[in-house]
């Protein structure tokens, strides 16, 4: 029946579609309203605008959805008001989605979201909470900075909602804003949420580390008084390879609660500053250097057969906390089962330090506390037929 209805609608003239959108049962009218957008009937825009006043939420929802596909950029202000004033949850969700669509159609990328930022920063708390989801859907640094300005507001409702929006941000562009909120928020719950979200991102997302990440972590340390949280942040600096981070953790060694973690971090950073490790592999050795080339677009690949191995030489003994085998671009190519050996003498590899099963996307290997050595060997011990083992980047903590 639904297919027949659509076939009938497609056969109608544009004038008949517009007429059908104005009269009849709500569900049938909604089908006609959707046709206004799918047929690109710009002459129907005035009707869609007027539909905001329709008493039936089904009609309002269909109309604002069609505006998302059809409306010009000049309708952005109308959609901001529509999303703010929506009384039906489905209608508001559709209005927010349409607002994002119309905003992204504006070719002026530098200014297209400015009206939304202005509206948010002038609006009443209830309006802010309703419109905040738009920022995460737009993404990017400017949207994150707008959310951060709201998160340091003295209004707890606004601050908590904005900090929550930043915590759900779809990419890493929110990290500097989260750190700023963790340091400057006046509402304690917003400050705590930002602090926890910033740490979760670093902990869960392993990417090529830069001095900018080191700076953000040191700022978080400055904004955090909890001893356990500070220790976890110091451990994150095991990833650093910049001299300011080294100087920072060396100063932290004077804090009794952080002495051990800071000493370990200093040793890790010194090892990282010595340059990329040397890598050997049982197969495709010429591409083994890709494990530490800073690019996840390149890989080392070998068959998933027992005895295949990768050997890393850090050139000096160093602390080792975690190994992350990143498989970006080859997410399903992981070791079936692995064993890890750590030693200072390849002639004496010692016992298996840790073993486990490989995982899609990333294989994360946590090492026993206090692990230290110059050489790490990761060996596959089980077969997976017709598959490969890939490592795009090997991250070391």
């Amino acid at each position: 029946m639904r297919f027949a209805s659509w076939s009938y609608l497609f056969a109608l003239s544009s004038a008949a579609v517009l007429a059908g959108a104005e009269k009849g049962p709500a569900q049938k009218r909604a089908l006609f309203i959707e046709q206004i957008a799918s047929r690109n009937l710009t002459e129907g825009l005035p009707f869609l605008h007027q539909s905001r006043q329709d008493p039936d939420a089904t009609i309002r929802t269909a109309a604002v959805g069609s505006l998302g596909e059809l409306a010009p950029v000049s309708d952005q202000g109308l959609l901001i008001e529509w999303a703010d004033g929506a009384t039906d949850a489905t209608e508001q969700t559709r209005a927010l989605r349409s607002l994002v669509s119309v905003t992204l159609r504006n070719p002026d990328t530098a200014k297209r979201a400015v009206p939304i930022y202005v509206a948010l920063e002038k609006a009443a708390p209830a309006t802010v909470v309703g419109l905040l989801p738009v920022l995460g859907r737009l993404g990017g640094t400017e949207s994150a900075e707008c959310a951060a300005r709201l998160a340091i507001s003295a209004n707890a409702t606004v601050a908590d909602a904005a900090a929550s929006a930043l915590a759900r941000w779809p990419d890493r562009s929110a990290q500097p804003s989260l750190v700023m909120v963790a340091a400057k928020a006046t509402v304690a719950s917003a400050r705590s949420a930002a602090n926890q979200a910033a740490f979760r991102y670093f902990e869960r997302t392993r990417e090529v580390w830069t001095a900018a990440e080191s700076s953000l972590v040191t700022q978080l340390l400055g904004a955090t008084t909890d001893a356990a949280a500070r220790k976890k942040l110091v451990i994150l600096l095991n990833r650093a390879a910049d001299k300011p981070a080294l100087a920072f953790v060396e100063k932290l060694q004077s804090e009794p609660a952080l002495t051990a973690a800071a000493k370990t971090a200093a040793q890790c950073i010194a090892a990282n500053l010595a340059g990329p490790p040397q890598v050997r592999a049982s197969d495709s050795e010429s591409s083994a250097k890709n494990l530490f080339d800073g690019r996840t677009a390149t890989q080392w690949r070998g068959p998933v057969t027992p005895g295949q191995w990768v050997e890393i030489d850090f050139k000096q003994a160093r602390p080792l906390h975690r190994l992350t085998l990143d498989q970006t671009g080859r997410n399903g190519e992981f070791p079936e089962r692995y064993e890890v050996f750590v030693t200072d003498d390849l002639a004496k590899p010692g016992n298996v330090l840790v073993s486990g099963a490989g995982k899609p996307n990333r294989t994360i290997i946590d090492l026993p506390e206090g692990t230290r050595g110059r050489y790490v060997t990761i060996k596959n011990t089980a077969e997976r037929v017709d598959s490969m083992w890939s490592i795009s980047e090997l991250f070391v903590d």
Side-chain angles (χ1 to χ4, degrees):
M1 179 67 80
R2 175 86 173 179
F3 177 77
S5 298
W6 277 112
S7 299
Y8 167 72
L9 287 172
F10 275 115
L12 293 175
S13 67
S14 297
V17 168
L18 293 173
E22 296 184 12
K23 297 179 180 179
Q27 291 296 334
K28 188 173 181 179
R29 289 179 62 199
L31 291 174
F32 281 107
I33 290 170
E34 291 171 5
Q35 281 289 296
I36 293 175
S38 64
R39 294 191 183 199
N40 197 33
L41 301 180
T42 54
E43 60 268 37
L45 281 170
F47 169 76
L48 296 178
H49 295 162
Q50 295 165 9
S51 295
R52 182 182 169 197
Q53 308 304 324
D54 196 288
D56 194 310
T58 301
I59 302 303
R60 298 195 305 270
T61 299
V64 77
S66 288
L67 281 173
E69 299 180 45
L70 190 62
V73 172
S74 58
D75 274 357
Q76 187 184 44
L78 169 70
L79 288 169
I80 291 173
E81 294 176 1
W82 197 320
D84 173 30
T87 56
D88 177 82
T90 303
E91 176 191 3
Q92 185 179 61
T93 299
R94 190 72 61 84
L96 292 171
R97 189 183 306 158
S98 293
L99 175 57
V100 172
S101 297
V102 170
T103 299
L104 293 177
R105 281 206 290 274
N106 188 340
D108 189 347
T109 56
K111 296 181 180 179
R112 64 190 180 189
V114 170
I116 297 174
Y117 304 154
V118 171
L120 278 165
E121 294 185 39
K122 291 183 176 180
T127 299
V128 173
V129 172
L131 290 177
L132 263 169
V134 172
L135 295 180
R137 294 175 191 175
L138 292 174
T141 301
E142 291 80 7
S143 292
E145 289 173 348
C146 176
R149 292 191 292 273
L150 295 167
I152 62 175
S153 162
N155 183 290
T157 300
V158 170
D160 286 339
S164 178
L166 283 171
R168 298 190 302 271
W169 212 254
D171 56 47
R172 68 188 301 176
S173 63
Q175 276 297 87
S177 292
L178 280 168
V179 172
M180 188 271 278
V181 174
K184 296 184 178 181
T186 55
V187 175
S189 53
R191 186 169 61 251
S192 175
N195 204 316
Q196 293 173 24
F199 175 78
R200 281 198 306 271
Y201 182 87
F202 283 126
E203 180 68 9
R204 295 176 182 176
T205 308
R206 195 61 172 94
E207 297 170 332
V208 176
W209 195 264
T210 68
E213 276 73 37
S214 297
S215 176
L216 290 175
V217 171
T218 59
Q219 290 175 56
L220 277 175
L221 274 158
T224 306
T225 57
D226 179 77
R230 284 171 62 78
K231 182 178 178 180
K232 291 178 180 178
L233 289 167
V234 171
I235 292 172
L236 283 178
L237 289 174
N238 291 359
R239 307 174 180 181
D242 55 283
K243 291 182 179 179
L246 178 58
F248 182 80
V249 296
E250 287 175 341
K251 290 181 181 178
L252 289 180
Q253 293 177 29
S254 63
E255 294 187 29
L258 298 179
T259 299
K263 283 183 177 179
T264 297
Q267 293 168 9
C268 289
I269 296 170
N272 296 338
L273 283 167
Q278 294 178 342
V279 187
R280 295 195 313 126
S282 56
D283 195 274
S284 305
E285 187 162 352
S286 62
S287 64
K289 62 182 183 298
N290 293 337
L291 271 65
F292 293 98
D293 67 355
R295 297 185 299 148
T296 55
T298 60
Q299 300 96 17
W300 167 84
R301 301 181 75 207
V304 186
T305 53
Q308 294 292 328
W309 52 266
V310 171
E311 176 192 285
I312 304 104
D313 177 4
F314 293 101
K315 304 173 188 175
Q316 58 182 298
R318 57 159 293 166
L320 296 161
H321 172 68
R322 175 181 294 163
L323 306 171
T324 300
L325 314 185
D326 185 280
Q327 292 130 216
T328 297
R330 303 281 182 176
N331 292 336
E333 298 183 356
F334 50 89
E336 183 67 14
R337 297 284 307 178
Y338 63 79
E339 293 178 344
V340 177
F341 301 81
V342 178
T343 184
D344 287 330
D345 183 356
L346 286 176
K348 300 176 182 178
N351 298 323
V352 174
L353 192 64
V354 64
S355 62
K359 304 290 184 183
N361 303 314
R362 287 183 171 178
T363 298
I364 299 173
I365 304 172
D366 288 310
L367 302 174
E369 186 174 353
T371 298
R372 181 184 179 86
R374 172 176 170 174
Y375 301 97
V376 170
T377 302
I378 306 168
K379 183 182 294 185
N380 180 68
T381 60
E383 184 173 16
R384 190 167 65 251
V385 178
D386 297 328
S387 187
M388 298 290 285
W389 171 20
S390 295
I391 304 176
S392 301
E393 198 73 12
L394 199 157
F395 297 115
V396 180
D397 293 317

